[in-house]
Amino acid sequence: MKRAYLNAKLAGGNGGLLIENGLVVAAGADVTKDNVPGAQMVDCGGKLLLPGLIDMRVFTGEPGTEYRETLATASDAAAAGGVTTMIVMPNTDPVIDDAAMVDFILRRARDTAKVRVAPMCAITKGLKGEAMTELGLMKAAGAVAATDGIKSVTNAALLRRTMTYAKDHGMLIVQHVEEPGLASGVMNAGEAASRLGLAGSHAMAEVMMLERDLRLVEMTGASYHVAQISCAESAEVMRRAKAKGLAVSCGVSINHLVLNENDIGAYRTFFKLSPPLRCENDRRALVEALREGVIDVVVSGHDPQSDDTKRLPFAEAAFGAIGLDTLMAGLLSLYHNENISLSRIIEAGCEAPARVLGLPQGKLVPGAPADFCLVDPQASWKVQPESLFSRSKNSPFEHRTIEGRVMETVVAGQTVYSAA
């Protein structure tokens, strides 16, 4: 049955969206009440109608640590946050490092998740950084890219061989750029770390790894994506790499765009992230890089942790924060506070991830999957633990009032979340 969403604000102006059989039939100003006879009509009341977000960096606890998160609970949080496709990391127990595990994740997602799920597979067996996995087999099984997730591949020779192999199989390599020897601290190195008496990790740990990897990209011609950058110098390195014509891309977490190291305050462990939150100058540089298009993708960096590992002294607490529930609101805060256009936000949250990963989602054009969300950009809500759908509650936005609420999320033409 056809369904028409009318009286909406779209990226290109006011109009509507017509869907049928899980696909977009038409979108734009021509979709009006008079032009959709026989369709079920939904009045959007002038709210934003956007493509569903594609989150390229989601950690779950399934399999192995389901007490932190399952694919089902993560998908609940995703739907509430306007995310219609989540890309899950291979850092599970067991690791997603063979075709059978890729198949397991896809079957579990099919049976339990309400949004689309696609796995990235491991670059190295067991995430140990010692031996390359069978990337070709895992791509054939359904892996959309290869990464060691929160771990960097530090062995340059191994990464070069992997890049060469991945190029032959058309596989994207996604790297967490952090030189472990320089990143042993628990927060950003600087005045704030000294004041708090905590060990710092210097931004140079990220920049050095990034520059090394880009040299390997030049050697091999591989497709390469930086999972997250966190500082001004990394943005400058990426700006130069793109000016040289390298086919590289990068992401940033919403946390690094809206928070800085001072938010840690009195040792608040929900702000202990990897890479760490940097200084305000770095945050502003990242926002500008996003505005310019140097940064391609914004991710949630959703990394659920239990109370047992977060309610500890800062130095002992686990790294990570959840983010699926609040991703849309975080993106809209850039629209409200940083004057970043809606079209740029849609590009970074929807279109660019689809393009980088070769997915058909991300745009509301005829023939595309009917994955979208209806959003009230002015609706404010307070982030309380009981308002979050994620199984873990370690949100850096806890107790904050934020603007922008997802009212409805649709995947393949089916409503999977409604705020009503």
Side-chain angles (χ1 to χ4, degrees), residues 12-85:
N14 296 333
L17 180 74
L18 181 63
I19 64 174
E20 185 177 26
N21 297 329
L23 299 175
V24 174
V25 176
D30 293 337
V31 181
T32 65
K33 184 177 180 180
D34 296 333
N35 292 337
V36 291
Q40 178 187 4
M41 298 186 193
V42 179
D43 187 347
C44 298
K47 296 184 178 62
L48 284 173
L49 197 154
L50 308 174
L53 298 172
I54 300 172
D55 190 350
M56 283 184 62
R57 194 166 176 83
V58 175
F59 295 86
T60 73
E62 186 174 4
T65 54
E66 286 84 353
Y67 63 90
R68 294 168 49 217
E69 194 81 284
T70 64
L71 291 168
T73 57
S75 77
D76 289 340
V83 176
T84 53
T85 301

Side-chain angles (χ1 to χ4, degrees), residues 85-105:
T85 301
M86 56 181 194
I87 311 300
V88 296
M89 298 295 104
N91 307 65
T92 52
D93 185 15
V95 174
I96 306 173
D97 61 1
D98 61 31
M101 279 303 300
V102 172
D103 182 63
F104 170 80
I105 293 296

Side-chain angles (χ1 to χ4, degrees), residues 25-232:
V25 176
D30 293 337
V31 181
T32 65
K33 184 177 180 180
D34 296 333
N35 292 337
V36 291
Q40 178 187 4
M41 298 186 193
V42 179
D43 187 347
C44 298
K47 296 184 178 62
L48 284 173
L49 197 154
L50 308 174
L53 298 172
I54 300 172
D55 190 350
M56 283 184 62
R57 194 166 176 83
V58 175
F59 295 86
T60 73
E62 186 174 4
T65 54
E66 286 84 353
Y67 63 90
R68 294 168 49 217
E69 194 81 284
T70 64
L71 291 168
T73 57
S75 77
D76 289 340
V83 176
T84 53
T85 301
M86 56 181 194
I87 311 300
V88 296
M89 298 295 104
N91 307 65
T92 52
D93 185 15
V95 174
I96 306 173
D97 61 1
D98 61 31
M101 279 303 300
V102 172
D103 182 63
F104 170 80
I105 293 296
L106 291 173
R107 284 187 289 109
R108 284 292 295 167
R110 179 198 63 197
D111 295 340
T112 66
K114 59 177 60 170
V115 303
R116 299 180 195 271
V117 176
M120 288 190 189
C121 62
I123 294 174
T124 64
K125 293 180 180 177
L127 305 174
K128 295 179 179 178
E130 298 171 352
M132 184 173 61
T133 56
E134 288 287 352
L135 298 182
L137 293 177
M138 290 189 287
K139 182 177 182 182
V144 294
T147 181
D148 272 3
I150 198 66
K151 294 186 176 181
S152 304
V153 179
T154 58
N155 185 320
L158 174 62
L159 185 59
R160 181 185 64 79
R161 288 197 302 273
T162 302
M163 284 184 172
T164 301
Y165 187 79
K167 181 187 177 186
D168 291 341
H169 289 82
M171 177 71 97
L172 174 70
I173 295 295
V174 180
Q175 171 83 312
H176 175 75
V177 284
E178 200 169 56
E179 169 53 49
L182 291 174
S184 57
V186 296
M187 66 173 293
N188 182 46
E191 182 182 341
S194 299
R195 177 164 37 83
L196 293 172
L198 295 171
S201 288
H202 201 283
M204 193 54 63
E206 176 178 299
V207 178
M208 288 177 63
M209 181 73 80
L210 175 57
E211 290 187 322
R212 184 208 68 170
D213 283 5
L214 292 174
R215 295 281 185 175
L216 295 176
V217 172
E218 288 188 82
M219 289 175 64
T220 62
S223 296
Y224 175 83
H225 177 82
V226 187
Q228 297 181 75
I229 63 172
S230 66
C231 63

